[in-house]
Amino acid sequence: MRTDSSPGNLPAREHLPAGAAGAPVLDVVIPVYNEEKDLQPCVLRLHEHLKRTFPYAFRITIADNASTDTTPQVASRLEAEIAEVSNFRLEQKGRGRALRTVWSASDAPILAYMDVDLSTDLNALLPLVAPLISGHSDLAIGSRLARSSRVVRGPKREFISRSYNLILRGSLQARFSDAQCGFKAIRRDVAQVLLPMVEDTGWFFDTEMLVIAERAGLRIHEVPVDWVDDPDSTVHIVKTATEDLKGVWRVGRALATGSLPLDRITRPFGDDPRDREIQDVPKGLARQLVGFCVVGGLSTLFYLLLYSVFRQFGGSQVANALALLVSAVANTAANRRLTFGVRGGGSAVRHQAQGLVVFGIGLALTSGSLAALNAASSDPAHSTELAVLIAANLAATVLRFLLFRAWVFPERRESTVVASHQPGPVPSSPTGSPQYPTRQLSYAPLPQRPTAPRYSYDTQIRAGDAADQTWRDATVQLQPVRPSDNTPGDPR
């Protein structure tokens, strides 16, 4: 899992300014592989729709990832005939690789992609990108599983899609409804910091990008879509399911161990200047309370069980101290991971030491309660002892939560990032990895469609930065052509 090249906290979102001149506002990428039959009708239909309905300048980029049929020739002809069409050629397969490469090289502030078969109704395109242009959201996805979506597809693909999304919800706690719909968009400033953290170069690329974005607190907008299945698609269930499950395991492990620096791609509280002065916004209090109560209830049962066992071999004070000590270590570890979301081994010893201080406070409360009970009755019943301990633990629990939240696992105090409008070149690290600026990229005023310039991708970029996971300093000359989202055998 990539953990390098993350530049720091994203600035607050800003609405792209309206106006004229500059690069296209929207770059729609159509990844293709051996799509000589469907490519031209797709591009012509999409171009006609954008010319008729989209109010800003746009570009359609054909991303051909290693097609072996006449797809490159079709793409080149479309580029020559239509001013708003560009062609991009990669010599390696992989939809994720194609999207990363084209998105990394694009100058458009809004980046999107869609399947070449246009299964998704194009009327959803403007609602997809509008929240990104306005600054409301960071990413946008089409959802076939929303209540108002209308979908026509066979039972096999329906079963695969719903099963996959259930797996994501159960294993990675994903809250977006449809990871597989080939209809997504992202802001370029977000893509620049998010893409270096995504490893997959194939079909799992979408899911990995969305999971990381969601865990980092970025806003994902969902658009219900009308979707009609392509009857000519074939499904390799075993191969695709295996690759996706491997990806789920890899991302889940990275999230569990804390190897992903999610704090580096978080947003500040708001984009209003007054909001940017707010530095300490409470996060997840309700969720933390629920988690703490669940962990606390289980810890109490564990404590009472240990106390009952230790009481068989010693006095009440010794049994209480041992049971509370063991349960306190387990309680701190569980709250650290589950309630306050601290991953990895960093500061674990310090957290346990602070937890032992909290344990000492709980020990004083419960031991004092037992001492008071023994002073009141020379031989109290075991049930009475348990009742007193439960009451004392409830009092200690409230104090424990406050200490955990304010002292042991406090919210990280981040300095507020104020958006700046200082454009400049993207510097590189000594290893050649791009070090994107932590300030807000400034965009030229949104150009109107009649002024849309031709744009060529025939430029040199670092191959490692854009196309694979090596991030080397080698350069390649990219030839114009394009890739596809509808590789035969895709189950989506």
Side-chain angles (χ1 to χ4, degrees):
M1 180 65 65
R2 285 196 185 116
T3 59
D4 60 346
S5 302
S6 297
N9 282 33
L10 286 168
R13 304 181 196 91
E14 289 191 355
H15 193 300
L16 301 182
V25 173
L26 174 66
D27 193 348
V28 182
V29 180
I30 306 176
V32 294
Y33 174 74
N34 290 348
E35 296 289 352
E36 58 184 1
K37 177 182 177 182
D38 295 333
L39 180 55
Q40 180 168 325
C42 164
V43 172
L44 294 178
R45 180 180 165 197
L46 175 60
H47 180 262
E48 187 277 332
H49 178 83
L50 289 172
K51 290 281 284 187
R52 179 169 48 86
T53 64
F54 194 67
Y56 304 116
F58 64 88
R59 179 192 308 127
I60 300 172
T61 301
I62 306 171
D64 176 17
N65 48 331
S67 292
T68 57
D69 60 2
T70 62
T71 297
Q73 289 74 30
V74 176
S76 298
R77 185 172 65 251
L78 289 169
E79 182 182 38
E81 295 175 353
I82 304 175
E84 290 83 7
V85 174
S86 293
N87 187 26
F88 199 89
R89 170 76 178 185
L90 291 89
E91 298 303 331
Q92 290 179 290
K93 292 178 60 178
R95 181 182 66 173
R97 178 181 288 107
L99 291 176
R100 179 186 289 119
T101 303
V102 177
W103 282 355
S104 298
S106 179
D107 61 345
I110 306 298
L111 310 170
Y113 93 89
M114 61 181 59
D115 293 338
V116 70
D117 60 2
L118 295 184
S119 295
T120 305
D121 181 44
L122 291 177
N123 287 326
L125 182 56
L126 185 55
L128 183 81
V129 302
L132 308 186
I133 294 175
S134 70
H136 175 271
S137 301
D138 300 295
L139 300 92
I141 64 174
S143 176
R144 298 163 297 184
L145 302 181
R147 289 183 178 273
S148 56
S149 297
R150 297 182 296 179
V151 177
V152 178
R153 62 177 166 183
K156 183 165 60 174
R157 289 175 67 99
E158 182 77 14
F159 174 79
I160 293 172
S161 181
R162 292 189 177 275
S163 298
Y164 182 67
N165 282 283
L166 285 175
I167 292 173
L168 293 181
R169 288 177 176 271
S171 59
L172 300 178
Q173 288 80 52
R175 290 191 289 271
F176 48 85
S177 65
D178 191 352
Q180 298 170 304
C181 183
F183 195 71
K184 296 181 175 69
I186 185 172
R187 288 176 63 100
R188 178 164 62 94
D189 56 345
V190 176
Q192 286 180 330
V193 298
L194 183 58
L195 294 183
M197 302 176 67
V198 180
E199 282 190 16
D200 193 79
T201 59
W203 293 104
F204 189 71
F205 173 87
D206 302 50
T207 300
E208 186 172 354
M209 179 180 67
L210 291 173
V211 169
I212 294 175
E214 186 177 69
R215 286 299 186 93
L218 299 182
R219 182 173 294 157
I220 301 175
H221 179 74
E222 295 198 19
V223 178
V225 297
D226 295 340
W227 194 86
V228 179
D229 189 13
D230 180 6
D232 296 329
S233 296
T234 59
V235 180
H236 298 312
I237 298 178
V238 176
K239 179 181 178 181
T240 304
T242 301
E243 292 300 319
D244 286 346
L245 290 176
K246 288 180 180 179
V248 169
W249 169 258
R250 175 174 53 79
V251 173
R253 183 177 58 185
L255 292 172
T257 57
S259 61
L260 281 172
L262 300 179
D263 58 320
R264 298 183 183 181
I265 55 174
T266 56
R267 289 284 195 187
F269 177 62
D271 62 355
D272 186 278
R274 295 166 297 179
D275 297 335
R276 296 175 197 178
E277 298 175 359
I278 301 176
Q279 298 185 9
D280 302 322
V281 181
K283 298 179 180 179
L285 177 60
R287 182 191 61 79
Q288 289 179 354
L289 278 173
V290 173
F292 184 82
C293 290
V294 172
V295 172
L298 295 176
S299 298
T300 301
L301 294 177
F302 184 48
Y303 160 77
L304 293 176
L305 176 62
L306 291 176
Y307 177 82
S308 298
V309 172
F310 293 148
R311 190 66 173 85
Q312 304 296 322
F313 307 100
S316 61
Q317 293 287 4
V318 175
N320 174 64
L322 290 176
L324 197 57
L325 176 62
V326 175
S327 61
V329 172
N331 180 276
T332 300
N335 276 308
R336 180 178 187 270
R337 174 81 173 267
L338 303 177
T339 303
F340 297 96
V342 180
R343 307 292 194 223
S347 304
V349 175
R350 177 175 61 84
H351 291 156
Q352 283 293 349
Q354 292 173 309
L356 289 178
V357 175
V358 179
F359 150 76
I361 297 174
L363 177 61
L365 286 174
T366 53
S367 297
S369 300
L370 283 176
L373 176 63
N374 290 329
S377 175
S378 58
D379 187 21
H382 181 64
S383 59
T384 304
E385 286 183 347
L386 292 180
V388 170
L389 289 174
I390 291 174
N393 268 281
L394 288 176
T397 296
V398 176
L399 182 60
R400 187 183 306 122
F401 177 76
L402 296 176
L403 289 174
F404 272 176
R405 182 173 171 82
W407 179 49
V408 183
F409 309 109
E411 293 286 352
R412 185 173 180 178
R413 306 305 186 192
E414 301 285 358
S415 59
T416 304
V417 180
V418 179
S420 176
H421 300 280
Q422 301 294 332
V426 177
S428 298
S429 71
T431 61
S433 298
Q435 298 297 316
Y436 297 105
T438 59
R439 298 180 182 272
Q440 173 73 27
L441 299 174
S442 63
Y443 299 115
L446 294 187
Q448 302 302 316
R449 186 171 61 243
T451 63
R454 287 297 302 270
Y455 181 80
S456 174
Y457 281 108
D458 191 18
T459 57
Q460 284 193 340
I461 66 171
R462 282 187 295 273
D465 287 355
D468 55 30
Q469 305 173 32
T470 58
W471 294 81
R472 295 186 293 273
D473 209 14
T475 61
V476 295
Q477 186 76 23
L478 294 173
Q479 300 299 322
V481 193
R482 50 174 84 179
S484 162
D485 223 43
N486 263 52
T487 303
D490 167 48
R492 297 171 176 80

